[in-house]
Structure formats: C-alpha cells, structure tokens
Amino acid sequence: MAMGKEGGGGGGEGGMSESVIRKVLVSYMYVAVWIFLSFTVIVYNKYILDPKMYNWPFPISLTMVHMAFCSSLAVALVRLFRVVDLPSSPAMTPQLYTSSVLPIGALYSLSLWFSNSAYIYLSVSFIQMLKALMPVAVYSIGVLFKKENFKSSSMLNMLSISFGVAIAAYGEARFDARGVALQLAAVAFEATRLVLIQILLTSKGISLNPITSLYYVAPCCLAFLLVPWAFVELPRLRAVGTFQPDFFIFGTNSLCAFALNLAVFLLVGKTSALTMNVAGVVKDWLLIAFSWSVIRDTVTPINLFGYGIAFLGVGYYNHVKLQALKAKEAQKKAAQADEEAGSLLQERDSHGDRKSDNQA
C-alpha cells in the first residue's frame, strides 16, 4: 500500500512538474511573440519613413493607415465574429465615450504621430534610449494628477534615469534637436494617456482589452489625425502626385501593428503587465544591437554608458512596482481570510444558538 502511495505521489509530482514546465514554456512563447512583433513594427516603421530607405516620410498618413486597418479589423472581430464582448457594467454610453474615450484617443493620436515622426530624424537605437524616460513621465504626471504619491526615493530614481538618458543624448553621433523634441513630446503624450486611462476608465470600473480598446479608440484617432493631415501632409502628397503606394508593404505593416495589439492582450492576460515591462527591456537591448549591427547606426560607448544608467533606474522602478503589487495582493488575501474567518465564526455562533434553543 505504501509503495502504491509513493508511486502515486511521484506520478502526481511528475504531472505537476510537467504542467508547470508547460505553463513556463507557453509564457516564454508569448514573450517571444510580443518581442518579435514589437521589434518588427518598430523596424518596419523606420524602414518606411526613413528617407534613406523606403523614403515615404509621411508619419501622419502611415498612422492613419494603421488606425483605419485596426478599426476595420476590430469592428469585424467585435460585431461580426463576436470574439470579445463589449463592456456592459457600466455600458459605453455616448456621454461616457465623449468624456472618457475621446481624450484618450486624442492623446494616443498625438503620441503615435510624434513617435513615428521621430524615425525620420533619429536612429532606432537612440529612440529606444529616449523611451527609457517613460517611467519618469508617468510618475511625474501621476503626481501632478494625484494618482501617485510623491516620494523622495522615487524622485531620486527618476532623476537617475533622466541623468542616464542625458548622457546617452550627449554621446549620440546623429543628434537632431527636432527628432529629440518629437520623441520627448510622444513620451509626454503617451504617459498622460496612461494616467488618464486610470482616471477616466479604470476608476469607473471600465476594463478594455486591446481589441475593444481599438474598437473604441482607433476610429476617433483616425478622426483626430485627419485635421493635421489635411494641413501638413495632404498638400505634400498632392505635390508628389506620382507616388504609387505598395499595398504589400502597407498591408503587412498594418497587419503587424494589429497583431502587436493582440500579442499585448495575450501576454498581459497569460502573464502580467510587469512581465511585459521586463520583456520590453530585453526588446530595447535587441533593437539597439540590431540598429548597430544591421542598420549600421552609430552607437557610441557614451551612448551605452548613459543608457546603462537609465536601464538600472528602470529596473529598480520595475522592482519597486513588483514589491508594491505583492504587498497589495498579500493585504487583499489577508482581508479575505479575515472575512472568511468572521463568517465562519458567525455561522458557528448561529448554529450554537439554534442548538441551545432546541435543547430548551
């Protein structure tokens, strides 16, 4: 009997270990797919927009193509194929859409416009270094909107990240003030969008996955982009006149952009947002290596030294976020345990009262 139990226990442990290994491998697969798609979209956008490559320097038009494609697919997935359900509690009313989604859509359109514009002037590697300022922007705007508590230790960490990025900028061989201004503006708009998502959507109990986000946000992004496009790029496109768009290039580029949103949904759903942040750091280093080795962008030792400082600051930021998340989960579990213990005691007391009444 004992041997049978031991054999069964060993089989259970083996099954459990196989299950754990399978989950780990699936998680790594999602991470790899997200890194590949994110990597592909960034390099593909650079290829299309860079005057030395495909030479189609119309970032608003490219973003509008993406938004039109994503809107069409999102509507098909939501309305025709019913892949995901729209939020029902609370429902997305016209008033809620106007007050909550439109501001987020406006910021998203500006973020995409400026970030795509930066590829015309800056190298892929330097853009990734500048993106390390995202935690600084999110924290600063979060403090401004009272969604984050001001802490001296957090501010020192933000200053260290900023100092590292400043060193990287000092060592940049192809520094372009216009490109830097565009990328910094993109970071600021994206950080504001992330904070407003917490204020306008999350705080109201509205949870949107990437498909429903695109369903609501992509059409209004397209509408917002029409205004600057009409004044900035439409006259230039008319002047070019003879350009024939390559449907394969723009179609596959848009498909990659949409697939990236699905990959975000899978990665966050199957792992966590923190996993995506860590994977993002790996992706940034891969992009820097690719930019240096394949695109032949110049990456100087000062670049790497400065980005190394910023990288350590971002790593510490993610570590602090993880510890805060763990503490919050532990507090939530403790509260649930106390609630369950209280309900058990209440049941026991009521059972004892009924028993004493029956005896009487």
Side-chain angles (χ1 to χ4, degrees), residues 242-284:
T242 56
F243 177 79
Q244 296 293 326
D246 189 323
F247 290 103
F248 176 79
I249 292 288
F250 290 97
T252 52
N253 178 247
S254 300
L255 186 62
C256 287
F258 184 80
L260 177 60
N261 282 279
L262 296 184
V264 170
F265 173 56
L266 289 172
L267 182 61
V268 176
K270 300 295 181 181
T271 57
S272 68
L274 187 68
T275 302
M276 195 176 77
N277 286 342
V278 175
V281 172
V282 176
K283 177 208 70 180
D284 289 343

Side-chain angles (χ1 to χ4, degrees), residues 72-305:
S72 304
L73 276 185
V75 169
L77 290 171
V78 172
R79 291 295 182 185
L80 296 179
F81 300 106
R82 308 278 182 186
V83 174
V84 293
D85 295 323
L86 295 174
S88 56
S89 54
M92 185 63 73
T93 61
Q95 184 181 1
L96 186 60
Y97 184 86
T98 304
S99 62
S100 298
V101 177
L102 285 184
I104 291 168
L107 289 167
Y108 194 39
S109 63
L110 290 169
S111 171
L112 292 173
W113 169 20
F114 289 138
S115 62
N116 282 334
S117 299
Y119 287 112
I120 299 172
Y121 307 99
L122 302 176
S123 66
V124 170
S125 56
F126 187 44
I127 285 174
Q128 302 315 302
M129 295 176 189
L130 290 174
K131 283 181 180 178
L133 288 170
M134 184 60 73
V136 180
V138 171
Y139 177 76
S140 302
I141 294 168
V143 170
L144 187 65
F145 283 95
K146 298 182 179 178
K147 296 301 291 182
E148 292 275 359
N149 295 322
F150 178 84
K151 295 179 182 177
S152 299
S153 57
S154 298
M155 184 51 67
L156 283 172
N157 186 35
M158 298 304 129
L159 289 173
S160 71
I161 295 172
S162 303
F163 179 66
V165 172
I167 293 175
Y170 176 77
E172 174 60 21
R174 287 180 53 206
F175 185 90
D176 187 294
R178 187 176 178 181
V180 171
L182 285 167
Q183 186 55 49
L184 292 180
V187 168
F189 285 125
E190 178 63 10
T192 308
R193 183 184 76 90
L194 293 173
V195 174
L196 281 187
I197 286 174
Q198 289 182 315
I199 296 171
L200 300 178
L201 296 179
T202 309
S203 63
K204 296 176 182 176
I206 302 171
S207 179
L208 300 177
N209 61 53
I211 297 176
T212 51
S213 293
L214 286 174
Y215 175 80
Y216 287 121
V217 175
C220 67
C221 270
L222 184 60
F224 280 122
L225 287 167
L226 277 170
V227 178
W229 177 77
F231 291 99
V232 177
E233 290 188 1
L234 182 58
R236 290 167 55 205
L237 284 166
R238 283 176 174 169
V240 172
T242 56
F243 177 79
Q244 296 293 326
D246 189 323
F247 290 103
F248 176 79
I249 292 288
F250 290 97
T252 52
N253 178 247
S254 300
L255 186 62
C256 287
F258 184 80
L260 177 60
N261 282 279
L262 296 184
V264 170
F265 173 56
L266 289 172
L267 182 61
V268 176
K270 300 295 181 181
T271 57
S272 68
L274 187 68
T275 302
M276 195 176 77
N277 286 342
V278 175
V281 172
V282 176
K283 177 208 70 180
D284 289 343
W285 280 110
L286 288 173
L287 277 167
I288 290 170
F290 180 86
S291 177
W292 171 73
S293 61
V294 178
I295 304 178
R296 297 297 179 183
D297 287 331
T298 303
V299 180
T300 66
I302 298 176
N303 272 148
L304 294 176
F305 176 71

